[in-house]
Amino acid sequence: MDPVQTLLNARFEDADDMAAALGWEFDFLQLSRGAFRGAAESLGGRRSRVNRVNLEADLHQRGTPPKEVRTFGILDAQQSPIDWLGRVAGSQELLHFSAERGFESFSFGSFNGFTISVEKSTLQSVTQALQGPGQEDPEIFDRNPSAGAADVVALRRDLKLTFRQAGELPADIFDQALAERLALLNIDAPALAPRASTRERVFRRALDVIDANLEEGLRISELCQLVATSHSTLDRAFRERVGLAPKRYLHAARLHRVRRDLKQRGNVLTVTEAANRWGFWHGGQFARDYQRQYGELPSETARG
């Protein structure tokens, strides 16, 4: 019987490289200054995969997991609560990564946790068997489950043990055990509504406007006008959610887009062209800001 395989064990200095290695569509907007540091380990059975990740930066994380699987997350026991889909999530709950709607979180300082992915068909058949004929709820895995804290703690403990004993575990048993644990944690779990305060709505609208208009040289005054809010409300909304003034977030978002251009199209755009595209017109200041944000010069990113 085939054992569980170690698929990945590596350190990364770039979030995009880490996302590619994990097979996810990630967008990691780095909010803190300094070089990114990450590490990832992955174990795989025949129908499942478990990742253990460490990220060293303040990050706005967005993306989608692979669509052929259902994916869940558990924070490390020592991990500080994170902002998950507009609410506070801690280490004693099971998080769902929706392949249909995507996911979004804000984490500050270091981030440590696990993701667990199981093929949809396997999870559905196990759920149906546990619930009984005709009882399968097609929406059950589109919720943000609030599983029992003790069960989440037990699952995290077992995941850590799995990483230590990977080569000794049969892959089929590993797949079945994960599917059963996830199904039991999800059954009858209530949906959790995101926060709906005025500042939360302002923050969400502002992010949408920024995404749609960042290349247009968006200014804070224009952002306030498009979001239909005052500067003071916008400022409080951003500081409450990400600990940054909106101008600082906007600046980090522009630097992020430049970095993506230099990495993805470095042989097409020069550093100057990429900087100008996202509203940076003073080369010397841009280079200093970029190095402060990422720990390297833009020319180094382009060469890499």
Side-chain angles (χ1 to χ4, degrees), residues 32-105:
S32 57
R33 292 168 174 168
F36 172 86
R37 294 289 182 269
E41 299 177 75
S42 295
L43 301 178
R46 292 184 175 181
R47 300 179 301 279
S48 64
R49 176 168 177 164
V50 177
N51 300 318
R52 178 161 60 182
V53 298
N54 166 254
L55 308 171
E56 297 291 341
D58 294 349
L59 296 167
H60 179 186
Q61 305 177 40
R62 289 187 283 188
T64 56
K67 298 185 182 301
E68 68 276 7
V69 298
R70 293 292 189 184
T71 301
F72 302 84
I74 298 178
L75 302 177
D76 194 73
Q78 285 73 46
Q79 174 64 44
S80 300
I82 65 172
D83 187 302
W84 176 262
L85 295 172
R87 63 181 183 84
V88 177
S91 61
Q92 295 188 336
E93 61 182 293
L94 188 68
L95 308 174
H96 176 239
F97 291 78
S98 172
E100 290 73 30
R101 296 188 303 272
F103 67 89
E104 179 178 51
S105 72

Side-chain angles (χ1 to χ4, degrees), residues 129-162:
L130 291 169
Q131 289 185 299
Q135 298 300 312
E136 183 178 0
D137 178 356
E139 300 298 323
I140 199 164
F141 294 110
D142 283 330
R143 299 173 180 174
N144 294 316
S146 180
D151 294 326
V152 172
V153 170
L155 177 55
R156 180 170 51 235
R157 181 195 60 221
D158 291 346
L159 291 176
K160 291 181 177 181
L161 183 61
T162 299

Side-chain angles (χ1 to χ4, degrees), residues 203-237:
F203 180 76
R204 298 300 331 160
R205 289 201 302 269
L207 290 186
D208 291 340
V209 170
I210 288 171
D211 285 343
N213 297 277
L214 196 60
E215 197 170 356
E216 306 301 322
L218 185 67
R219 296 178 180 275
I220 296 300
S221 58
E222 295 168 332
L223 179 59
C224 290
Q225 188 174 26
L226 291 169
V227 176
T229 192
S230 66
H231 184 279
S232 60
T233 299
L234 185 72
D235 188 75
R236 285 196 297 272

